[in-house]
């Protein structure tokens, strides 16, 4: 029994939905289908979810939004007409948008409900289309499926009780089509995951029904060792471990949501990233363990938009609880930290720059002086983090040397170096404007010649 999730580009148009139906029909094991909202048909197009968010936020600010609703309706009308389905789905969608906006519920709840409609109607279109092809297909709302989530609008997390409820769905004979991206709280409130969260739904369903495989259909043949927008025709990755995939997704690989692996990983369900437009390509398998002697570094990723707050204080190493107190300041401001490299008398906290508003920065700086009595404070903005990722580096000599040489060869100044404690990745903090150069140089060092020594 397989779970197949189709991303935004796979359900962007009637033609794409036809391809999705062929993929589903070609393998009777594909019993649970999870879909995203229609994405872009080409680079100048819009994503349905972006448009829905725009409608909900204009409504919240009392700004006119009426002209946006028909644009969404047009996309769905085009689809249902070409697929020769009844237009009632489109009418139902328009009515749901208007009723939700008018309803008397808090604005966060309204926003999440509106945001989820792209997925809901995408799943309705697909299930109706499959049924029109004589396939036993049923639309299944996450509430009926039992997907329970925490009450964190726009950033929900799955609750453990979801899995046993999902398991009971195994008994069903036909195909279930489930909209991705959201679940329900204990109080039956609809709450979405973070953006791109349909991948998370797919992984939850796969874990719940104990699928033999979670297939994640997107629009590329495989995961690449580096962003193909930065390096021309990079190496395809045929097998990658969960940990490596998690690190790469976190650090900027957009193929798969970085939080989506955990449910599948816990149940040891293999994940395969595949291409709807070329379903015969083998794709990338995400597995628990790698075979020994595979390449020690699997990929290079980079992401911009970070800043670091550096503090130093003489005898910091002897001050009990300093690290905790420093991180507490960030917790109090609801800022999560990404990395925290430290020395004997100093420590840096790396965070996403967008989280540090001017007000929060003022509070943190004041408390650092008044409560923690630090000697020096420096904020380093516009940083990028480059990650060299591979489980094999734990037993390979020369990875750090090769990486630092590559960055040096690209004439890039390293602001920070951090080797994750698990030794799955090595992180380099650099200036944002150097990101492309550093990634390109690292790619050629690790993938265009492989000279490191593997320990026996
Ligand atoms: N439609 C949602 C988004 O654009 C979720 C998804 O596509 O996975 O973020």
């Amino acid at each position: 029994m397989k779970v197949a999730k189709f991303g935004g580009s796979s359900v962007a148009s009637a033609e794409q939905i036809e391809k999705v139906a062929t993929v589903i029909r070609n393998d009777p094991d594909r019993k649970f289908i999870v879909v995203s909202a229609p994405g872009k048909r080409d680079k100048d197009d819009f994503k349905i979810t972006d448009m829905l968010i725009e409608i909900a936020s204009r409504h919240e600010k009392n700004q006119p939004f009426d002209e946006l609703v028909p644009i969404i309706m047009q996309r769905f009308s085009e689809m249902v007409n070409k697929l020769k389905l009844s237009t009632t789905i489109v009418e139902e969608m328009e009515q749901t948008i208007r009723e939700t906006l008018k309803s008397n519920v808090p604005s966060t709840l309204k926003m999440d409900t509106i945001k989820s409609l792209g997925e809901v109607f995408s799943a309705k279109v697909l299930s109706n289309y499959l049924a029109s092809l004589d396939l036993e297909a049923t639309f299944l709302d996450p509430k009926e499926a039992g997907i329970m989530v925490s009450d964190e609008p726009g950033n929900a997390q799955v609750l453990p009780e979801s899995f046993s409820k999902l398991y009971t769905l195994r008994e069903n004979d036909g195909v279930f089509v489930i909209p991705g991206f959201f679940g329900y709280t204990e109080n039956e409130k609809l709450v979405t995951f973070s953006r791109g969260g349909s991948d998370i739904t797919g992984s939850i369903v796969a874990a719940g029904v104990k699928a033999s495989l979670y297939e994640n259909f997107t629009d590329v043949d495989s995961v690449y060792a580096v962003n193909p927008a930065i390096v021309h025709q990079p190496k395809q990755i045929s097998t990658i471990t969960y940990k490596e995939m998690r690190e790469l997704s976190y650090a900027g690989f957009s193929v798969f949501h970085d939080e989506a692996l955990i449910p599948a990983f816990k149940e040891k369900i293999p994940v395969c990233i595949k291409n709807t437009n070329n379903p015969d390509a083998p794709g990338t398998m995400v597995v628990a363990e790698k075979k020994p002697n595979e390449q020690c570094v699997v990929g290079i990723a980079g992401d911009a938009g970070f800043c670091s707050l550096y503090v130093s204080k003489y005898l910091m190493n002897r001050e009990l609880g300093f690290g905790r107190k420093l991180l507490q300041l960030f917790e109090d401001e609801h800022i999560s930290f990404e990395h925290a490299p430290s020395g004997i008398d100093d420590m840096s906290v790396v965070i996403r720059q967008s989280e540090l508003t001017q007000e929060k920065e003022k509070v943190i700086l004041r408390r650092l002086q008044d409560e923690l009595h630090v000697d020096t404070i420096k904020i380093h903005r516009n940083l990028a983090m480059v990650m060299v990722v591979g489980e094999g580096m734990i037993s390979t000599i020369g990875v750090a040397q090769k990486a630092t040489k590559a960055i040096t060869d690209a004439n890039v100044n390293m602001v920070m170096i951090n080797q994750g404690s698990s030794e799955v990745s090595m992180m380099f903090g650099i200036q944002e404007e150097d990101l492309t150069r550093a990634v390109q140089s690292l790619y050629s060092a690790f993938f265009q010649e492989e000279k490191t020594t593997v320990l026996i």
Side-chain angles (χ1 to χ4, degrees), residues 309 326 329-330 333 335 351 356 359-369 377:
L309 185 124
L326 175 61
L329 302 187
F330 288 87
E333 296 308 312
I335 298 176
I351 58 172
L356 189 68
E359 298 79 66
K360 291 184 178 188
E361 183 178 323
K362 251 195 239 156
V363 177
I364 291 176
L365 294 184
R366 183 182 42 75
R367 291 186 65 190
L368 277 172
Q369 275 157 344
I377 309 174

Side-chain angles (χ1 to χ4, degrees), residues 119-187:
E119 270 70 14
V120 171
F121 286 91
S122 175
K124 288 195 172 171
V125 171
L126 179 62
S127 57
N128 284 11
Y129 182 59
L130 292 175
S132 77
L133 302 175
D134 286 335
L135 221 85
E136 196 188 330
T138 324
F139 169 87
L140 184 68
D141 187 83
K143 191 192 277 178
E144 296 160 62
I147 302 179
M148 307 270 293
V149 295
S150 61
D151 193 355
E152 296 171 90
N155 202 16
Q157 298 210 36
V158 66
L159 299 180
E161 48 269 44
S162 308
F163 300 104
S164 52
K165 175 80 198 299
L166 279 160
Y167 189 73
T168 61
L169 299 174
R170 285 175 61 100
E171 305 307 318
N172 186 58
D173 279 339
V175 170
F176 276 129
V177 183
I178 308 172
F181 194 33
F182 65 97
Y184 290 84
T185 65
E186 278 159 347
N187 300 329

